[in-house]
Amino acid sequence: MHCVKKIKENLYWVGANDRRLAMFEGVYSVAGGVSYNSYLLTDDKTILFDTADKAVQHRFLENVSYALGGRKLDYLVIQHMEPDHCAALKDIIKIYSGLKIVCSERALTLIKQFFELDFDYEKNTVIVNENDTLNTGKHTLKFIMAPMVHWPEVMVTYDTVNKILFSADAFGTFGALNGAIFADEVEIEKDYMDEYRRYYANIAGKYGSQVQALLQKAAALDIEMICPLHGFVWRGNLSAVINKYALWSAYQSEEKGVMIAYASVYGNTENAAEILSCRLREKGIKTVMFDVSVTPASEIIAASFRWSHLVFASTTYNAGIFISMEELLNDLVAHNIQNRTVAVIENGSWAASSGELIKEKLNKCKNIKIIEKTLSLKSSLKDFQLSEIEEIAQVIAGDFPKTALSASASFNTAQKKTEEKNVSVDPNAMFKFSYGLFVLTAKDGNKDNGCIINTAIQITASPLRISIAVNKSNYTHDMILKTKAFNLSVLSESAPFRIFQQFGFSSGKDNDKFKDSSYNDRGANGIRYVSENTNCMISGKVIDIYDYGTHTIFTAEVTESIVLSEERSVTYQYYFDNIKPKPQIKKEAKKGFVCKICGYVYEGDSLPADFECPLCKHGAADFEPL
Ligand code: FEO
């Protein structure tokens, strides 16, 4: 029975999934299966974009036949000649005689290499070059060459009417589709991004400059949808995958942290790697560890594309690098890894040589900084070498921003110096910052929540990144920590005090903050935002988390942003001067303290030093006597 998905009017997914395949291309394990996507456009002419792998040929042919609905097939556009997309070519040509093949010159060479077809190429092949077009009735297809993404004959196709990019292998992933077809039907970041990265790094990782060339060409197009040959169709939030490709193809790390890969025969090399990992964690640095004898190389290659720092620890074996570590390094060099800082640990009971050999291999790659100190073990780690591990950890830590741990250490030192010099620290100085005010919203399952924050800034323009600081006592904080996604609504000067009451003066754990409100808009990430008395909405996908005691700083990639009005953003000062009601203190009021932030009054002769405002959660420093 056919299994066809409608993508858009007159456009159908006619591909199929394979969950029996053990090794994609004979190399990459695909426990979650793989999809072979093919698309049929039923315009005045009918156009099929690529075919499918032989493993799913039967279902694919059934799907094409059903979607055609009895019509003949006019064109077969061959974007990529790798057999996972062209295996059914012979059958398609046989069944739909009279069709024309549309492909690049190089693809035609490969067609003749792979198949011996009874096909009049002279008469029935349309060879296309860069920016050539094909009118199919209501649609015009534009062909764009994308050599080496992933083979030399690859081209992509842009439907100028529907604004769809048929992107061949680009923007695809391992993993069967499991009933969904659009990326927004699943949780990409949580459930699929590791596989997107593994697919990219292993399939196209070597060809960064060619991928960048394609990204540049794509940037000149107005694209509303991306239809790749594997994985999900993107119909929104395209930057989620495009930004990843921009990073990966430039060999820039996605996250600051350390990937440790080790090869250990009897556990002693592993022991040194574990201890290094502990020292790094104690400095607040993220680490991941892989035993190269167990974890498939494709996963470690993907992790190497993700993290900023790499550690390779290997025993010496047959006077060389341990077998699985050597294979991994060869693979990594072949995939063109660049721009990383690397530390090396070697082991050898009589002639340790793996360290130098590892460095020799990695020195073939561009911009690899190898940390001078190599930890060299003789059979096992000794007491005196713990300081060498600490030395390596410190060199790595020198590349990292201050974390909560080190920030708190430097805070204590600074405070001590201040006390010694008898220099005053006036908390009122903090009110001179030109903060804005924002409604921060998040969603966990069916639960929506939001809170007011005053700390949000843009960090970088390319890629577009922002950071926010959130008090840990806010429920929204916990939701973001869990889901890694949020929306930020920038409040404007028209914001009434009730918005601050609604989102700032109670906990979402006990209340539904959106109950009885008219804020029903949601971003592409599914999270609500406030569209009234605000001037813009920005969606963030968290890429880094810094623990600062009472607060967490989240840095995030901007995945969506909408300008809602031209009103001026409200500042902290404006809020105090014009929005926040002045505390109504009765003349006969008792002694007490008033919160400078929200106006809460604490009655009593003295305010406990650890007092926290029950409304806005600010501490005693933000109270003043009545
Ligand atoms: Fe999915 Fe390069 O083939």
Side-chain angles (χ1 to χ4, degrees), residues 183-184 186-194 196 232 234 240:
D184 53 79
V186 297
E187 294 191 64
I188 291 284
E189 187 60 38
K190 179 168 153 284
D191 296 332
Y192 290 92
M193 194 45 79
D194 284 348
Y196 271 90
F232 300 99
W234 294 82

Side-chain angles (χ1 to χ4, degrees), residues 24-25 34-36 80-85 149-151 153-154 168-170 199 203 229-230:
F24 184 80
E25 293 187 358
V34 65
S35 76
Y36 303 107
H80 186 15
M81 262 303 293
E82 195 166 5
D84 55 332
H85 308 294
V149 186
H150 141 234
W151 277 19
E153 84 296 355
V154 171
D169 273 346
Y199 175 83
I203 300 295
L229 288 177
H230 300 286

Side-chain angles (χ1 to χ4, degrees), residues 307-333:
W307 299 101
S308 59
H309 289 62
L310 312 176
V311 175
F312 298 100
S314 176
T315 187
T316 302
Y317 202 76
N318 290 332
I321 305 168
F322 188 74
I323 317 150
S324 44
M325 177 61 84
E326 182 160 30
E327 283 172 1
L328 169 71
L329 290 165
N330 288 342
D331 217 2
L332 203 50
V333 172

